[in-house]
Amino acid sequence: MIKRISAILLLLLLPVFASAQTVSCPEAGMTLEVPDSYLLLPGSPDEPELVLHMADQSMDLAVYVSFVGRNAGNDLFQILTGDELDYGSVQIGGVDMLYVRGRDDDGDYQMYSWLMDSDNVSVYFLWRGDEKKALRAVDAIMNSIVFD
């Protein structure tokens, strides 16, 4: 009976693992998993802090690394603009982060940011369509992060 249940669970989980790709982002000191449907998009000389940009038909994922100065310590802060629906702090993979979810002219978004040495790392998600589905995808991607 236990073998049968294990086999069923394995079959249910197999599509989840088969449909993901592991993406390394050394500039942000991390590796993460995104769906196979995500394609790598080229960077832009106008945005030198953009170190990873991927997207599929429903969501964009952008990772920015910005120099904030030596000995930044724990001086992580957020600037709120009024279009936020939710914000706060969270710990993922042992790293303290700030997050914000909102809606602006570009659409619905969620962003996470944290300090890494003398840099600020921001992971920005922008989606179109089903918010619940998008938030589940954001949660899965963020919880897949492995820090170097």
Side-chain angles (χ1 to χ4, degrees):
M1 180 70 161
I2 293 176
K3 286 184 179 182
R4 186 174 187 205
I5 292 172
S6 297
I8 290 170
L9 287 175
L10 181 62
L11 288 174
L12 290 174
L13 292 175
L14 193 57
V16 172
F17 294 121
S19 65
Q21 58 180 311
T22 301
V23 178
S24 178
C25 186
E27 301 89 344
M30 67 178 180
T31 301
L32 64 159
E33 288 189 17
V34 299
D36 279 340
S37 59
Y38 279 47
L39 299 175
L40 185 62
L41 301 174
S44 167
D46 296 336
E47 289 186 288
E49 296 173 341
L50 177 64
V51 296
L52 178 66
H53 190 192
M54 299 187 81
D56 67 4
Q57 295 82 13
S58 62
M59 185 178 296
D60 282 32
L61 161 66
V63 178
Y64 296 88
V65 177
S66 309
F67 179 75
V68 291
R70 303 271 180 241
N71 302 318
N74 287 332
D75 294 335
L76 188 59
F77 64 91
Q78 283 180 315
I79 297 174
L80 303 176
T81 61
D83 60 11
E84 298 84 10
L85 301 172
D86 188 22
Y87 62 92
S89 60
V90 65
Q91 189 177 79
I92 297 176
V95 174
D96 293 323
M97 303 178 184
L98 296 177
Y99 75 91
V100 62
R101 181 173 56 88
R103 185 172 295 124
D104 62 17
D105 292 339
D106 293 327
D108 294 314
Y109 67 89
Q110 186 146 326
M111 184 183 72
Y112 294 82
S113 61
W114 64 91
L115 293 173
M116 179 187 72
D117 299 326
S118 58
D119 295 323
N120 174 268
V121 178
S122 297
V123 179
Y124 185 81
F125 299 90
L126 177 68
W127 65 85
R128 299 154 292 285
D130 186 338
E131 181 175 50
K132 287 183 182 181
K133 183 178 176 183
L135 290 174
R136 282 193 304 271
V138 167
D139 188 52
I141 292 169
M142 289 302 297
N143 284 297
S144 77
I145 291 176
V146 175
F147 293 98
D148 300 337

